[in-house]
Coordinates of all heavy atoms in Angstrom, one line a residue:
M1 N 116.1 130.5 48.8 CA 115.4 131.1 49.8 C 114.6 132.4 49.3 O 114.8 133.5 49.6 CB 116.3 131.7 50.9 CG 116.9 130.6 51.8 SD 115.7 129.8 52.8 CE 116.7 128.7 53.7
E2 N 113.6 132.0 48.4 CA 112.8 133.2 47.9 C 111.7 133.6 48.7 O 111.2 134.7 48.6 CB 112.2 132.7 46.5 CG 113.2 132.6 45.4 CD 112.6 132.2 44.1 OE1 111.5 132.4 43.9 OE2 113.4 131.6 43.3
D3 N 111.5 132.8 49.8 CA 110.5 133.2 50.8 C 110.8 134.5 51.5 O 110.0 135.3 51.8 CB 110.3 132.1 51.8 CG 109.4 131.0 51.2 OD1 108.8 131.2 50.2 OD2 109.2 130.0 51.9
S4 N 112.1 134.7 51.7 CA 112.5 135.9 52.5 C 112.2 137.1 51.7 O 112.0 138.2 52.3 CB 114.0 135.8 52.9 OG 114.7 135.8 51.7
D5 N 112.2 137.1 50.4 CA 111.8 138.2 49.6 C 110.4 138.6 49.8 O 110.0 139.8 49.9 CB 112.0 137.9 48.1 CG 113.5 138.1 47.7 OD1 114.2 138.7 48.5 OD2 113.9 137.7 46.7
V6 N 109.5 137.7 50.0 CA 108.1 138.0 50.2 C 108.0 138.6 51.5 O 107.2 139.6 51.7 CB 107.3 136.6 50.2 CG1 105.9 136.9 50.6 CG2 107.4 135.9 48.8
E7 N 108.6 138.2 52.6 CA 108.6 138.8 53.9 C 108.9 140.2 53.9 O 108.4 141.1 54.5 CB 109.4 138.0 54.9 CG 108.6 136.8 55.5 CD 109.5 136.0 56.4 OE1 110.1 136.7 57.2 OE2 109.4 134.8 56.4
R8 N 110.0 140.5 53.1 CA 110.5 141.9 53.1 C 109.5 142.8 52.5 O 109.3 143.9 52.9 CB 111.8 141.9 52.3 CG 112.6 143.1 52.5 CD 113.9 143.1 51.7 NE 114.8 142.0 52.1 CZ 115.7 141.6 51.2 NH1 115.9 142.1 50.0 NH2 116.5 140.5 51.5
T9 N 108.7 142.3 51.4 CA 107.7 143.1 50.8 C 106.6 143.4 51.9 O 106.1 144.6 52.0 CB 107.1 142.3 49.7 OG1 108.1 141.9 48.8 CG2 106.0 143.2 49.0
D10 N 106.3 142.4 52.8 CA 105.2 142.7 53.8 C 105.7 143.8 54.7 O 104.9 144.7 55.1 CB 105.1 141.4 54.6 CG 104.1 140.4 53.9 OD1 103.6 140.8 52.9 OD2 104.1 139.3 54.4
I11 N 106.9 143.8 55.1 CA 107.4 144.9 56.0 C 107.2 146.3 55.4 O 106.8 147.2 56.0 CB 108.9 144.6 56.4 CG1 108.9 143.3 57.3 CG2 109.5 145.8 57.2 CD1 110.3 142.8 57.5
Q12 N 107.6 146.4 54.1 CA 107.5 147.6 53.4 C 106.0 148.1 53.4 O 105.7 149.2 53.6 CB 108.0 147.6 52.0 CG 109.5 147.7 52.0 CD 110.1 147.5 50.6 OE1 109.3 147.1 49.7 NE2 111.4 147.7 50.5
E13 N 105.1 147.2 53.2 CA 103.7 147.5 53.1 C 103.2 148.0 54.5 O 102.4 148.9 54.5 CB 102.9 146.3 52.6 CG 102.8 146.3 51.1 CD 102.0 145.1 50.7 OE1 102.5 144.0 50.5 OE2 100.7 145.3 50.5
S14 N 103.6 147.3 55.5 CA 103.1 147.8 56.8 C 103.6 149.2 57.2 O 103.0 149.8 58.0 CB 103.5 146.7 57.9 OG 104.9 146.7 58.1
N15 N 104.7 149.6 56.7 CA 105.2 150.9 57.0 C 104.5 152.0 56.1 O 104.7 153.1 56.4 CB 106.8 150.9 56.6 CG 107.6 150.5 57.9 OD1 107.0 150.3 58.9 ND2 108.8 150.2 57.6
E16 N 103.7 151.5 55.2 CA 103.1 152.5 54.3 C 102.2 153.4 55.0 O 101.4 153.0 55.8 CB 102.4 151.8 53.2 CG 102.1 152.6 52.0 CD 101.2 152.0 51.0 OE1 101.1 150.7 51.1 OE2 100.5 152.7 50.2
G17 N 102.2 154.7 54.7 CA 101.3 155.6 55.4 C 101.8 156.1 56.7 O 101.3 157.0 57.3
E18 N 102.9 155.5 57.3 CA 103.4 155.9 58.5 C 104.8 156.6 58.3 O 105.7 156.1 57.9 CB 103.6 154.7 59.4 CG 103.8 155.1 60.9 CD 103.9 154.0 61.8 OE1 103.2 153.1 61.6 OE2 104.8 154.0 62.7
D19 N 104.7 157.9 58.5 CA 105.9 158.7 58.2 C 107.0 158.4 59.3 O 106.8 158.6 60.5 CB 105.6 160.2 58.3 CG 106.0 160.9 57.0 OD1 106.8 160.2 56.3 OD2 105.5 161.9 56.7
E20 N 108.1 157.9 58.8 CA 109.2 157.6 59.8 C 109.7 158.8 60.4 O 110.2 158.9 61.5 CB 110.3 156.9 59.1 CG 110.0 155.4 58.8 CD 110.3 154.5 59.9 OE1 111.4 154.6 60.5 OE2 109.5 153.7 60.3
E21 N 109.6 160.0 59.6 CA 110.2 161.2 60.1 C 109.4 161.9 61.1 O 108.3 162.2 60.9 CB 110.3 162.1 58.8 CG 111.4 163.3 59.1 CD 111.3 164.2 57.9 OE1 110.9 163.9 56.8 OE2 111.7 165.4 58.1
L22 N 110.0 162.0 62.3 CA 109.3 162.7 63.4 C 109.7 164.1 63.5 O 110.9 164.4 63.5 CB 109.4 161.9 64.7 CG 108.9 160.5 64.8 CD1 109.3 159.8 66.1 CD2 107.4 160.5 64.6
I23 N 108.7 164.9 63.8 CA 109.1 166.4 63.9 C 108.6 166.8 65.3 O 107.6 166.3 65.9 CB 108.2 167.2 62.9 CG1 108.2 166.4 61.5 CG2 108.8 168.6 62.7 CD1 107.0 166.9 60.7
E24 N 109.3 167.7 65.9 CA 108.9 168.2 67.2 C 107.8 169.2 66.9 O 108.1 170.2 66.2 CB 110.1 168.8 67.9 CG 111.1 167.8 68.5 CD 112.2 168.4 69.3 OE1 112.5 169.6 69.1 OE2 112.8 167.7 70.0
V25 N 106.6 169.0 67.5 CA 105.6 170.0 67.3 C 104.9 170.5 68.7 O 105.1 169.8 69.7 CB 104.4 169.4 66.4 CG1 105.0 169.0 65.0 CG2 103.7 168.3 67.2
C26 N 104.3 171.6 68.6 CA 103.7 172.2 69.7 C 102.6 171.2 70.2 O 101.8 170.8 69.4 CB 103.1 173.5 69.4 SG 102.1 174.3 70.6
P27 N 102.5 171.0 71.5 CA 101.4 170.1 72.0 C 100.0 170.8 72.0 O 99.0 170.1 72.2 CB 101.9 169.7 73.5 CG 102.7 170.9 73.9 CD 103.4 171.4 72.6
V28 N 100.0 172.1 71.9 CA 98.7 172.8 71.9 C 98.1 172.9 70.5 O 97.0 172.5 70.3 CB 98.9 174.2 72.5 CG1 97.7 175.0 72.5 CG2 99.5 174.1 74.0
C29 N 98.9 173.3 69.5 CA 98.4 173.6 68.2 C 98.9 172.7 67.1 O 98.5 172.8 66.0 CB 98.6 175.1 67.9 SG 100.3 175.5 67.5
G30 N 100.0 171.9 67.4 CA 100.6 171.1 66.4 C 101.5 171.7 65.4 O 101.9 171.2 64.4
S31 N 101.9 173.0 65.8 CA 102.7 173.7 64.8 C 104.2 173.2 65.0 O 104.6 173.2 66.2 CB 102.6 175.2 65.0 OG 103.6 175.9 64.3
P32 N 104.9 173.1 63.9 CA 106.3 172.7 64.0 C 107.2 174.0 64.1 O 108.3 173.9 64.2 CB 106.6 172.0 62.7 CG 105.6 172.7 61.7 CD 104.4 173.1 62.5
D33 N 106.5 175.1 64.1 CA 107.2 176.4 64.2 C 107.6 176.9 65.6 O 107.0 177.7 66.2 CB 106.3 177.5 63.5 CG 107.1 178.6 62.9 OD1 108.3 178.5 62.9 OD2 106.5 179.5 62.4
L34 N 108.5 176.0 66.2 CA 109.0 176.2 67.6 C 110.4 176.7 67.6 O 111.2 176.4 66.7 CB 109.0 174.9 68.3 CG 107.6 174.1 68.4 CD1 107.9 172.7 68.8 CD2 106.6 174.8 69.4
Y35 N 110.6 177.5 68.6 CA 112.1 177.8 68.8 C 112.4 177.4 70.3 O 111.6 177.5 71.2 CB 112.5 179.1 68.4 CG 111.8 180.2 69.1 CD1 112.4 181.0 70.2 CD2 110.5 180.7 68.7 CE1 111.7 181.9 70.7 CE2 109.9 181.7 69.3 CZ 110.5 182.4 70.4 OH 109.9 183.4 70.9
Y36 N 113.6 177.0 70.5 CA 114.1 176.5 71.7 C 115.0 177.6 72.4 O 115.9 178.0 71.8 CB 114.8 175.2 71.6 CG 115.2 174.5 72.9 CD1 114.2 173.9 73.6 CD2 116.4 174.5 73.4 CE1 114.4 173.2 74.7 CE2 116.8 173.8 74.6 CZ 115.7 173.2 75.3 OH 116.0 172.6 76.5
E37 N 114.5 178.0 73.5 CA 115.2 179.1 74.2 C 116.0 178.5 75.3 O 115.4 177.9 76.3 CB 114.3 180.1 74.7 CG 115.0 181.4 75.1 CD 113.9 182.5 75.5 OE1 113.4 183.1 74.5 OE2 113.6 182.6 76.6
T38 N 117.3 178.6 75.3 CA 118.2 178.2 76.3 C 118.4 179.3 77.4 O 118.1 180.5 77.1 CB 119.5 177.7 75.9 OG1 120.1 178.6 75.0 CG2 119.4 176.4 75.1
G39 N 118.8 178.9 78.5 CA 119.0 180.0 79.6 C 118.2 179.6 80.7 O 117.2 178.9 80.6
G40 N 118.6 180.0 81.9 CA 118.0 179.4 83.1 C 118.4 178.1 83.4 O 119.5 177.6 82.8
I41 N 117.7 177.3 84.1 CA 118.1 175.9 84.5 C 117.7 175.0 83.3 O 118.5 174.2 82.9 CB 117.3 175.4 85.7 CG1 117.7 176.4 87.0 CG2 117.7 174.0 86.1 CD1 116.7 176.3 88.1
E42 N 116.6 175.2 82.7 CA 116.2 174.3 81.6 C 115.8 175.3 80.4 O 115.3 176.3 80.7 CB 114.9 173.4 81.9 CG 115.4 172.4 82.9 CD 114.2 171.5 83.2 OE1 113.2 171.4 82.4 OE2 114.1 171.1 84.4
G43 N 116.0 174.8 79.3 CA 115.5 175.5 78.1 C 114.0 175.3 78.0 O 113.4 174.4 78.5
L44 N 113.3 176.3 77.3 CA 111.9 176.2 77.1 C 111.6 176.3 75.6 O 112.2 177.0 74.8 CB 111.2 177.3 77.9 CG 111.1 177.2 79.4 CD1 110.5 178.4 79.9 CD2 110.4 175.9 79.8
Y45 N 110.6 175.6 75.2 CA 110.1 175.7 73.8 C 109.1 176.8 73.7 O 108.2 177.0 74.6 CB 109.5 174.5 73.4 CG 110.4 173.3 73.2 CD1 110.6 172.4 74.2 CD2 111.1 173.1 71.9 CE1 111.6 171.3 74.0 CE2 112.0 172.0 71.8 CZ 112.2 171.2 72.9 OH 113.0 170.2 72.7
H46 N 109.2 177.6 72.7 CA 108.2 178.8 72.5 C 107.6 178.3 71.1 O 108.3 178.1 70.1 CB 108.9 180.1 72.3 CG 109.5 180.6 73.6 ND1 109.3 181.9 74.0 CD2 110.2 180.0 74.5 CE1 110.0 182.0 75.2 NE2 110.6 180.8 75.5
C47 N 106.3 178.4 71.1 CA 105.5 178.2 69.8 C 105.2 179.6 69.2 O 104.6 180.4 69.9 CB 104.3 177.4 70.1 SG 103.3 177.3 68.6
K48 N 105.6 179.8 68.0 CA 105.3 181.1 67.3 C 103.9 181.2 66.9 O 103.4 182.3 66.7 CB 106.2 181.2 66.1 CG 107.7 181.4 66.3 CD 108.4 181.5 65.0 CE 109.9 181.4 65.3 NZ 110.7 181.4 64.0
Y49 N 103.3 180.0 66.8 CA 101.9 180.1 66.2 C 100.8 180.4 67.3 O 100.0 181.3 67.1 CB 101.6 178.7 65.6 CG 100.3 178.6 64.8 CD1 100.3 179.2 63.6 CD2 99.2 178.0 65.3 CE1 99.1 179.1 62.8 CE2 98.0 177.9 64.6 CZ 97.9 178.5 63.4 OH 96.8 178.4 62.7
C50 N 100.9 179.7 68.5 CA 99.9 179.9 69.4 C 100.4 180.6 70.8 O 99.7 180.9 71.6 CB 99.2 178.6 69.8 SG 100.2 177.5 70.8
G51 N 101.7 180.7 70.8 CA 102.3 181.4 72.0 C 102.6 180.5 73.2 O 102.9 180.9 74.2
Y52 N 102.5 179.2 72.9 CA 102.8 178.2 74.0 C 104.2 178.3 74.4 O 105.2 178.4 73.6 CB 102.5 176.8 73.4 CG 103.1 175.6 74.3 CD1 102.5 175.2 75.4 CD2 104.3 175.1 73.9 CE1 103.0 174.2 76.2 CE2 104.9 174.0 74.6 CZ 104.2 173.6 75.8 OH 104.8 172.6 76.5
I53 N 104.4 178.2 75.7 CA 105.8 178.2 76.3 C 105.9 177.1 77.3 O 105.0 177.0 78.1 CB 106.2 179.5 77.0 CG1 106.1 180.6 76.1 CG2 107.5 179.4 77.7 CD1 106.3 182.0 76.8
G54 N 106.8 176.2 77.1 CA 106.9 175.0 77.9 C 108.1 174.1 77.7 O 108.7 174.3 76.5
G55 N 108.3 173.2 78.5 CA 109.5 172.2 78.3 C 109.0 171.0 77.5 O 109.9 170.1 77.3
F56 N 107.8 170.9 77.2 CA 107.2 169.7 76.6 C 106.8 169.9 75.2 O 106.1 170.9 74.9 CB 106.1 169.2 77.5 CG 105.3 168.1 76.9 CD1 105.8 166.8 76.9 CD2 104.1 168.2 76.4 CE1 105.2 165.7 76.5 CE2 103.3 167.1 75.9 CZ 103.9 165.9 75.9
V57 N 107.3 169.1 74.2 CA 106.8 169.1 72.9 C 106.5 167.7 72.5 O 107.0 166.7 73.1 CB 107.8 169.7 71.9 CG1 108.0 171.2 72.1 CG2 109.1 169.0 72.0
I58 N 105.8 167.5 71.4 CA 105.4 166.2 70.9 C 106.3 165.8 69.8 O 106.4 166.6 68.8 CB 103.9 166.2 70.6 CG1 103.1 166.3 71.9 CG2 103.6 164.9 69.9 CD1 101.6 166.4 71.6
D59 N 106.8 164.6 69.7 CA 107.4 164.1 68.5 C 106.3 163.5 67.6 O 105.8 162.4 67.9 CB 108.4 163.0 68.9 CG 109.7 163.6 69.4 OD1 110.1 164.7 69.0 OD2 110.3 163.0 70.4
A60 N 106.0 164.1 66.5 CA 104.9 163.7 65.8 C 105.3 163.4 64.4 O 106.2 164.1 63.9 CB 103.7 164.7 65.9
N61 N 104.6 162.5 63.7 CA 104.7 162.5 62.3 C 103.7 163.4 61.6 O 102.9 164.1 62.3 CB 104.6 161.0 61.7 CG 103.3 160.4 62.1 OD1 102.2 161.1 62.3 ND2 103.2 159.1 62.3
K62 N 103.7 163.4 60.3 CA 102.9 164.5 59.7 C 101.4 164.3 60.0 O 100.6 165.2 60.1 CB 103.2 164.5 58.2 CG 104.4 165.2 57.9 CD 104.7 165.4 56.4 CE 105.9 166.2 56.2 NZ 106.4 166.1 54.8
K63 N 101.0 163.0 60.1 CA 99.6 162.7 60.3 C 99.1 163.2 61.7 O 98.1 163.8 61.8 CB 99.4 161.2 60.2 CG 97.9 160.7 60.1 CD 97.8 159.3 60.0 CE 96.4 158.8 60.3 NZ 96.4 157.3 60.6
M64 N 100.0 162.9 62.7 CA 99.7 163.3 64.0 C 99.6 164.9 64.1 O 98.8 165.4 64.8 CB 100.8 162.8 65.0 CG 100.5 161.5 65.5 SD 101.9 160.9 66.6 CE 101.8 162.0 68.0
M65 N 100.6 165.5 63.5 CA 100.6 166.9 63.5 C 99.3 167.5 63.0 O 98.8 168.4 63.5 CB 101.7 167.3 62.6 CG 102.3 168.7 62.6 SD 103.7 168.9 61.5 CE 103.0 169.9 60.4
G66 N 98.8 166.9 61.9 CA 97.6 167.4 61.3 C 96.3 167.2 62.3 O 95.5 168.0 62.4
L67 N 96.4 166.1 63.0 CA 95.3 165.9 63.9 C 95.3 166.8 65.0 O 94.3 167.3 65.5 CB 95.5 164.4 64.6 CG 95.1 163.3 63.6 CD1 95.4 161.9 64.2 CD2 93.7 163.3 63.2
I68 N 96.5 167.2 65.6 CA 96.6 168.1 66.7 C 96.1 169.5 66.2 O 95.4 170.2 66.9 CB 98.0 168.2 67.3 CG1 98.5 166.8 67.8 CG2 98.2 169.3 68.3 CD1 99.9 166.7 68.1
R69 N 96.6 169.8 65.0 CA 96.2 171.2 64.6 C 94.6 171.2 64.2 O 94.0 172.3 64.5 CB 96.9 171.5 63.3 CG 96.5 172.8 62.7 CD 97.5 173.4 61.7 NE 98.7 173.8 62.4 CZ 99.6 174.6 61.7 NH1 99.5 174.8 60.5 NH2 100.6 175.0 62.3
D70 N 94.1 170.2 63.7 CA 92.6 170.1 63.5 C 91.9 170.3 64.8 O 90.9 171.2 64.9 CB 92.2 168.8 62.9 CG 92.5 168.7 61.4 OD1 92.9 169.7 60.8 OD2 92.3 167.6 60.9
E71 N 92.3 169.7 65.8 CA 91.7 169.8 67.1 C 91.8 171.2 67.7 O 90.8 171.7 68.2 CB 92.5 168.8 68.1 CG 91.9 168.7 69.5 CD 90.7 167.8 69.6 OE1 90.5 167.0 68.6 OE2 90.1 167.8 70.6
Y72 N 93.0 171.8 67.5 CA 93.2 173.1 68.0 C 92.3 174.2 67.3 O 91.7 175.0 67.9 CB 94.7 173.4 67.7 CG 95.0 174.9 68.1 CD1 95.1 175.3 69.5 CD2 95.2 175.9 67.2 CE1 95.4 176.6 69.8 CE2 95.6 177.1 67.5 CZ 95.7 177.5 68.8 OH 96.1 178.8 69.2
E73 N 92.3 174.0 66.0 CA 91.4 174.9 65.2 C 89.9 174.8 65.5 O 89.1 175.7 65.5 CB 91.7 174.8 63.7 CG 93.0 175.4 63.4 CD 93.5 175.3 61.9 OE1 92.8 174.6 61.2 OE2 94.6 175.9 61.7
R74 N 89.5 173.5 65.8 CA 88.1 173.3 66.2 C 87.8 174.0 67.5 O 86.8 174.6 67.7 CB 87.8 171.8 66.3 CG 86.4 171.5 66.0 CD 86.2 170.0 65.8 NE 86.7 169.2 67.0 CZ 87.1 168.0 67.0 NH1 87.2 167.3 65.8 NH2 87.5 167.4 68.0
K75 N 88.7 173.9 68.5 CA 88.5 174.6 69.7 C 88.4 176.1 69.6 O 87.7 176.8 70.2 CB 89.7 174.2 70.7 CG 89.5 172.9 71.4 CD 90.6 172.6 72.3 CE 90.8 171.2 72.6 NZ 92.1 170.8 73.1
L76 N 89.3 176.7 68.7 CA 89.3 178.1 68.4 C 87.9 178.5 68.0 O 87.3 179.5 68.3 CB 90.4 178.4 67.4 CG 91.7 178.7 67.8 CD1 92.5 179.2 66.6 CD2 91.8 179.6 68.9
R77 N 87.4 177.7 67.1 CA 86.1 178.1 66.5 C 85.0 178.0 67.6 O 84.1 178.8 67.6 CB 85.7 177.1 65.4 CG 85.7 177.8 64.0 CD 85.5 176.8 62.9 NE 86.8 176.3 62.4 CZ 87.0 175.1 62.0 NH1 86.1 174.1 62.0 NH2 88.2 174.7 61.7
I78 N 85.0 177.1 68.6 CA 84.0 177.0 69.5 C 84.2 178.2 70.5 O 83.1 178.7 70.9 CB 84.2 175.6 70.3 CG1 83.9 174.4 69.4 CG2 83.4 175.6 71.6 CD1 84.4 173.2 70.0
S79 N 85.3 178.6 70.8 CA 85.5 179.6 71.8 C 85.1 181.1 71.3 O 85.0 182.0 72.0 CB 86.9 179.6 72.4 OG 87.8 179.9 71.4
E80 N 85.0 181.2 69.9 CA 84.7 182.4 69.4 C 83.2 182.7 69.3 O 82.4 181.7 69.2 CB 85.3 182.5 68.0 CG 86.7 183.2 68.1 CD 87.4 183.2 66.8 OE1 86.7 183.1 65.7 OE2 88.6 183.4 66.7
Ligands
ZN1 ZN1 101.4 176.2 69.4

């Protein structure tokens, strides 16, 4: 059954470039620099980078994180 070896190689190649590791990042600026504050009914995430406060964060891989941050920095440049 040498064919199964070939298939396994295909699976590895399709995973290439996609980071399996997901990080919780800020939905506004893409920063992973969040802290979770408990207390009250629900905890809230605070972003140290842009000051976002909310219960929603994005599970992103490094590529997505970069895209969100690029978008955020572009908006900053427009508003100035
Ligand atoms: Zn942020």
Side-chain angles (χ1 to χ4, degrees):
M1 289 294 183
E2 284 178 29
D3 280 351
S4 62
D5 279 345
V6 174
E7 276 179 42
R8 203 180 293 158
T9 306
D10 279 350
I11 290 165
Q12 278 176 355
E13 272 181 272
S14 68
N15 275 345
E16 198 189 341
E18 194 175 320
D19 237 341
E20 285 274 312
E21 197 186 339
L22 293 177
I23 320 158
E24 288 184 338
V25 302
C26 172
V28 177
C29 70
S31 170
D33 206 2
L34 300 164
Y35 60 98
Y36 190 73
E37 191 171 282
T38 52
I41 299 162
E42 287 174 38
L44 290 175
Y45 291 93
H46 294 225
C47 174
K48 292 182 192 174
Y49 189 76
C50 73
Y52 165 81
I53 299 173
F56 174 72
V57 290
I58 292 176
D59 285 324
N61 58 30
K62 284 187 178 168
K63 193 182 165 193
M64 273 175 69
M65 196 175 113
L67 288 174
I68 297 168
R69 178 162 286 189
D70 279 355
E71 184 84 11
Y72 176 73
E73 284 177 355
R74 208 168 56 207
K75 280 181 200 161
L76 274 189
R77 247 172 273 144
I78 291 166
S79 66
E80 267 173 19

